[in-house]
Amino acid sequence: MFRFLTAGESHGQCLTAIVEGMPAGLTIDVDEINKDMARRQQGYGRGGRMLIETDKMEILSGVRFGETMGDPVTVKIANKDWENWTGRMSVSGKPEGPVVTAARPGHADLTGIKKYDRNDIRDILERSSARETAARVAVGGLAKQLLKACGMKIVSQVTNIGGIQIDGANTAYDTWGNNPSDLNCYDDAIEEKMKEKIRQAKTDGDTLGGIFEIAVLGVMPGLGSHIQWDRRLDARLSGALMSIQAIKGVEIGAGFEYANLPGSLAHDEIFLDESQHVYRKTNHAGGIEGGMSNGEAIVVRAVMKPIPTLMKPLRSIDIKSKEAVLACKERSDVCAVSAASVVGEAMTAIVVAQALLEKFGGDSIGDLKAAIAHYQKRI
């Protein structure tokens, strides 16, 4: 089983994660994972925190001379800003600095202090912050390297920011992902319009959300299962993406567009080529049928709401005085959809890696590859 836990606060000493289930014998390229760490920090519309941090993953256990050993892998991402926050975030002593009492609409603030019986919203906002996703990108980087060793690749693109969207569907996957775009958008003209929208939002003290798309390439049919609800691959992918801060909707393949299609146009007809290999001319299902991968590219889309921290704050209440106030302001981004697309890649990689190891086993990378080869020969 591939599983993980993350720990750490936004302005604490560091973020950490423990990953269990990495097969032994897998070569780990830390530099490659750190490229994704850097991608998560980039993007037009990001805030001042990204000028302070230079996220790099450090492996503390589970890897020896560049190879996994089969035991848990511990990773650490240091917070450079910690030195400016020791008085407010120390694990001992008395707290310094102001208490945060003005809850932000759309954030975990108000519900969190009620649930956990706290008087300072900082006790909630530090952990609920999307800063936590840096640890998930590190874990996802490990999962990506496992999938790469088994012939799979995960890419992403941003398709919509603030209502500015690319025209039509782009299935040229080689244009996705690791491109020089500031917004992870392959369409230069549309990207410039997105940037203008972000600039205006910043001037207005506002924030913007958007949509990103993930594709998994090279995946074999049969990952996931129709047998039980919690083994269905589409359900697990949806849950993983919804777990990312500010994600409010997920669709697989054609998704909500299915509401506009008759069955004759909705389903992907099946054909045999001259070599008797199965293929489909369309991929409305997004590579998943009956809760299982069908061999086509897995395509998942997610929508991110605008970030709740506004420089022109919304109306709220003070949890101490019970008076009407404007919400608190924390250092934040105007738009982080491109960053969310990198986190989406990580969470998708984690779920697919879990499904892969469940089907083929994962004590060692050699046994895993042999099991995959046997299965592919059989089918």
Side-chain angles (χ1 to χ4, degrees), residues 183-206:
L183 291 173
N184 196 15
C185 177
Y186 77 97
D187 188 317
D188 293 340
I190 295 298
E191 182 184 66
E192 190 51 47
K193 292 180 180 179
M194 290 175 174
K195 288 182 177 180
E196 177 55 36
K197 188 87 172 183
I198 293 170
R199 286 193 288 268
Q200 187 59 53
K202 183 175 182 179
T203 299
D204 296 340
D206 216 334

Short mmCIF file of all heavy atoms in Angstrom, two decimals, residues 183-206:
data_model
loop_
_atom_site.label_atom_id
_atom_site.label_comp_id
_atom_site.label_asym_id
_atom_site.label_seq_id
_atom_site.Cartn_x
_atom_site.Cartn_y
_atom_site.Cartn_z
N LEU A 183 1.69 30.65 -16.67
CA LEU A 183 0.42 30.19 -16.13
C LEU A 183 0.11 28.74 -16.50
O LEU A 183 -1.03 28.29 -16.34
CB LEU A 183 -0.72 31.10 -16.62
CG LEU A 183 -0.71 32.52 -16.03
CD1 LEU A 183 -1.78 33.39 -16.70
CD2 LEU A 183 -0.93 32.49 -14.52
N ASN A 184 1.08 28.02 -17.02
CA ASN A 184 0.88 26.64 -17.46
C ASN A 184 -0.24 26.55 -18.50
O ASN A 184 -1.05 25.64 -18.49
CB ASN A 184 0.56 25.72 -16.26
CG ASN A 184 0.73 24.25 -16.61
OD1 ASN A 184 1.33 23.89 -17.61
ND2 ASN A 184 0.17 23.39 -15.77
N CYS A 185 -0.25 27.53 -19.40
CA CYS A 185 -1.25 27.59 -20.46
C CYS A 185 -0.53 27.57 -21.80
O CYS A 185 0.38 28.38 -22.03
CB CYS A 185 -2.09 28.86 -20.33
SG CYS A 185 -3.30 29.08 -21.64
N TYR A 186 -0.92 26.66 -22.69
CA TYR A 186 -0.19 26.49 -23.95
C TYR A 186 -0.52 27.57 -24.98
O TYR A 186 0.21 27.76 -25.95
CB TYR A 186 -0.51 25.12 -24.56
CG TYR A 186 -1.86 25.05 -25.25
CD1 TYR A 186 -1.96 25.21 -26.64
CD2 TYR A 186 -3.02 24.85 -24.52
CE1 TYR A 186 -3.19 25.19 -27.26
CE2 TYR A 186 -4.24 24.82 -25.14
CZ TYR A 186 -4.33 24.97 -26.52
OH TYR A 186 -5.55 24.95 -27.13
N ASP A 187 -1.64 28.29 -24.79
CA ASP A 187 -2.09 29.29 -25.76
C ASP A 187 -1.56 30.67 -25.34
O ASP A 187 -2.06 31.28 -24.38
CB ASP A 187 -3.62 29.29 -25.81
CG ASP A 187 -4.18 30.15 -26.93
OD1 ASP A 187 -3.67 31.27 -27.13
OD2 ASP A 187 -5.14 29.71 -27.60
N ASP A 188 -0.55 31.18 -26.05
CA ASP A 188 0.11 32.42 -25.66
C ASP A 188 -0.85 33.61 -25.65
O ASP A 188 -0.79 34.46 -24.75
CB ASP A 188 1.27 32.73 -26.61
CG ASP A 188 2.39 31.72 -26.49
OD1 ASP A 188 2.45 31.05 -25.44
OD2 ASP A 188 3.20 31.62 -27.42
N ALA A 189 -1.74 33.69 -26.66
CA ALA A 189 -2.67 34.83 -26.75
C ALA A 189 -3.66 34.81 -25.59
O ALA A 189 -3.93 35.86 -24.97
CB ALA A 189 -3.41 34.80 -28.08
N ILE A 190 -4.19 33.63 -25.28
CA ILE A 190 -5.13 33.52 -24.16
C ILE A 190 -4.42 33.77 -22.84
O ILE A 190 -4.96 34.43 -21.93
CB ILE A 190 -5.80 32.14 -24.16
CG1 ILE A 190 -6.67 31.96 -25.39
CG2 ILE A 190 -6.62 31.94 -22.89
CD1 ILE A 190 -7.82 32.95 -25.50
N GLU A 191 -3.18 33.31 -22.73
CA GLU A 191 -2.43 33.52 -21.49
C GLU A 191 -2.24 35.02 -21.21
O GLU A 191 -2.35 35.46 -20.07
CB GLU A 191 -1.07 32.85 -21.58
CG GLU A 191 -0.27 33.02 -20.28
CD GLU A 191 1.12 32.44 -20.36
OE1 GLU A 191 1.94 32.95 -21.14
OE2 GLU A 191 1.39 31.48 -19.63
N GLU A 192 -1.98 35.80 -22.25
CA GLU A 192 -1.81 37.23 -22.05
C GLU A 192 -3.10 37.87 -21.56
O GLU A 192 -3.08 38.78 -20.70
CB GLU A 192 -1.35 37.90 -23.35
CG GLU A 192 -0.92 39.34 -23.17
CD GLU A 192 0.09 39.55 -22.05
OE1 GLU A 192 1.08 38.81 -21.98
OE2 GLU A 192 -0.13 40.46 -21.22
N LYS A 193 -4.24 37.39 -22.05
CA LYS A 193 -5.53 37.90 -21.57
C LYS A 193 -5.75 37.50 -20.11
O LYS A 193 -6.31 38.27 -19.31
CB LYS A 193 -6.67 37.37 -22.44
CG LYS A 193 -6.66 37.92 -23.86
CD LYS A 193 -7.83 37.36 -24.67
CE LYS A 193 -7.82 37.92 -26.10
NZ LYS A 193 -8.93 37.36 -26.91
N MET A 194 -5.32 36.29 -19.75
CA MET A 194 -5.40 35.85 -18.36
C MET A 194 -4.56 36.75 -17.46
O MET A 194 -4.99 37.14 -16.37
CB MET A 194 -4.92 34.40 -18.23
CG MET A 194 -5.82 33.36 -18.85
SD MET A 194 -5.06 31.70 -18.75
CE MET A 194 -6.40 30.66 -19.36
N LYS A 195 -3.37 37.09 -17.92
CA LYS A 195 -2.49 37.96 -17.13
C LYS A 195 -3.12 39.33 -16.92
O LYS A 195 -3.03 39.90 -15.82
CB LYS A 195 -1.14 38.10 -17.82
CG LYS A 195 -0.27 36.86 -17.76
CD LYS A 195 1.08 37.13 -18.43
CE LYS A 195 2.00 35.94 -18.34
NZ LYS A 195 3.30 36.19 -19.00
N GLU A 196 -3.75 39.85 -17.95
CA GLU A 196 -4.40 41.15 -17.82
C GLU A 196 -5.53 41.08 -16.80
O GLU A 196 -5.73 41.99 -16.00
CB GLU A 196 -4.94 41.61 -19.18
CG GLU A 196 -5.71 42.92 -19.14
CD GLU A 196 -4.90 44.06 -18.54
OE1 GLU A 196 -3.67 44.13 -18.75
OE2 GLU A 196 -5.51 44.90 -17.84
N LYS A 197 -6.27 39.98 -16.81
CA LYS A 197 -7.34 39.78 -15.83
C LYS A 197 -6.77 39.74 -14.41
O LYS A 197 -7.34 40.30 -13.47
CB LYS A 197 -8.07 38.48 -16.13
CG LYS A 197 -9.32 38.23 -15.31
CD LYS A 197 -10.53 38.85 -15.93
CE LYS A 197 -11.80 38.44 -15.19
NZ LYS A 197 -13.02 38.99 -15.82
N ILE A 198 -5.63 39.08 -14.25
CA ILE A 198 -4.98 39.00 -12.94
C ILE A 198 -4.47 40.37 -12.50
O ILE A 198 -4.62 40.75 -11.33
CB ILE A 198 -3.83 37.97 -12.98
CG1 ILE A 198 -4.38 36.56 -13.17
CG2 ILE A 198 -2.99 38.04 -11.69
CD1 ILE A 198 -3.32 35.52 -13.46
N ARG A 199 -3.89 41.11 -13.42
CA ARG A 199 -3.41 42.46 -13.09
C ARG A 199 -4.55 43.34 -12.60
O ARG A 199 -4.40 44.09 -11.62
CB ARG A 199 -2.73 43.09 -14.31
CG ARG A 199 -1.36 42.53 -14.62
CD ARG A 199 -0.62 43.40 -15.62
NE ARG A 199 -1.16 43.28 -16.95
CZ ARG A 199 -0.75 42.41 -17.88
NH1 ARG A 199 0.21 41.55 -17.59
NH2 ARG A 199 -1.28 42.40 -19.09
N GLN A 200 -5.69 43.24 -13.26
CA GLN A 200 -6.84 44.05 -12.86
C GLN A 200 -7.36 43.63 -11.49
O GLN A 200 -7.72 44.47 -10.67
CB GLN A 200 -7.97 43.92 -13.90
CG GLN A 200 -9.15 44.86 -13.66
CD GLN A 200 -8.74 46.32 -13.66
OE1 GLN A 200 -8.11 46.80 -14.60
NE2 GLN A 200 -9.09 47.05 -12.60
N ALA A 201 -7.39 42.33 -11.26
CA ALA A 201 -7.82 41.84 -9.95
C ALA A 201 -6.91 42.34 -8.84
O ALA A 201 -7.36 42.72 -7.75
CB ALA A 201 -7.87 40.31 -9.95
N LYS A 202 -5.60 42.35 -9.10
CA LYS A 202 -4.66 42.85 -8.10
C LYS A 202 -4.91 44.33 -7.82
O LYS A 202 -4.91 44.76 -6.65
CB LYS A 202 -3.23 42.64 -8.58
CG LYS A 202 -2.18 43.07 -7.56
CD LYS A 202 -0.77 42.74 -8.03
CE LYS A 202 0.25 43.13 -6.96
NZ LYS A 202 1.63 42.79 -7.38
N THR A 203 -5.15 45.10 -8.86
CA THR A 203 -5.46 46.53 -8.69
C THR A 203 -6.72 46.71 -7.86
O THR A 203 -6.80 47.63 -7.03
CB THR A 203 -5.64 47.19 -10.07
OG1 THR A 203 -4.41 47.07 -10.81
CG2 THR A 203 -6.00 48.66 -9.92
N ASP A 204 -7.69 45.83 -8.06
CA ASP A 204 -8.97 45.92 -7.35
C ASP A 204 -8.92 45.31 -5.96
O ASP A 204 -9.93 45.33 -5.24
CB ASP A 204 -10.06 45.21 -8.17
CG ASP A 204 -10.32 45.89 -9.51
OD1 ASP A 204 -9.96 47.07 -9.66
OD2 ASP A 204 -10.87 45.23 -10.41
N GLY A 205 -7.79 44.74 -5.57
CA GLY A 205 -7.70 44.07 -4.27
C GLY A 205 -8.49 42.78 -4.24
O GLY A 205 -8.92 42.32 -3.17
N ASP A 206 -8.66 42.16 -5.40
CA ASP A 206 -9.50 40.97 -5.53
C ASP A 206 -8.64 39.74 -5.84
O ASP A 206 -7.41 39.83 -5.95
CB ASP A 206 -10.53 41.19 -6.64
CG ASP A 206 -11.88 40.55 -6.34
OD1 ASP A 206 -11.90 39.56 -5.58
OD2 ASP A 206 -12.90 41.04 -6.86
#
